[in-house]
Amino acid sequence: MRVALIAQCYGRDDEDIIDQVRIDTIVPDYDVFDGPDNFRVVFNEFEQAALIGRNELGRSLAQVYLEAMSKDRLEAMTQGQQGVTVKENPSPYKIEAELGRLN
């Protein structure tokens, strides 16, 4: 059996759906539960599949959220700083520090 976990991201006005995240996962069918002898084993399979799907949904939702937040922040920064250029540092590893003496 296939189960779809769906999360919808709404805008600030709670009406517009910004994005929708859907994760499909496979869980045991109903007919696998044939008695009390295998209930724990089959329910464990169901629970593990549901937890893995939930974790994947959370990761995808966090990615969508962070991408939307960074896009909003970048737009706010570029609108507020017209004409400002960003100078890239040619050296990726650099520590700028000031050395001094403690008395």
Side-chain angles (χ1 to χ4, degrees):
M1 177 185 312
R2 184 174 63 88
V3 174
L5 304 170
I6 301 170
Q8 296 177 336
C9 301
Y10 291 91
R12 291 189 176 109
D13 57 357
D14 289 338
E15 293 179 6
D16 297 332
I17 296 176
I18 296 173
D19 202 352
Q20 180 170 325
V21 178
R22 177 185 173 133
I23 301 295
D24 294 322
T25 187
I26 305 296
V27 296
D29 287 328
Y30 297 131
D31 57 351
V32 178
F33 290 104
D34 58 0
D37 297 334
N38 72 341
F39 177 79
R40 288 184 179 188
V41 173
V42 176
F43 188 78
N44 185 45
E45 292 174 12
F46 166 78
E47 188 177 36
Q48 291 299 316
L51 291 174
I52 290 170
R54 181 198 66 184
N55 291 342
E56 289 178 19
L57 183 69
R59 276 192 290 276
S60 298
L61 189 59
Q63 181 179 359
V64 167
Y65 177 79
L66 292 174
E67 286 174 359
M69 182 180 62
S70 65
K71 186 188 302 183
D72 285 348
R73 297 288 172 132
L74 182 62
E75 288 176 5
M77 286 175 55
T78 56
Q79 288 176 358
Q81 298 177 355
Q82 298 286 334
V84 175
T85 59
V86 176
K87 182 179 172 184
E88 290 190 25
N89 189 352
S91 173
Y93 302 105
K94 189 174 184 180
I95 298 175
E96 293 183 9
E98 185 177 314
L99 297 176
R101 180 195 276 183
L102 294 175
N103 291 329

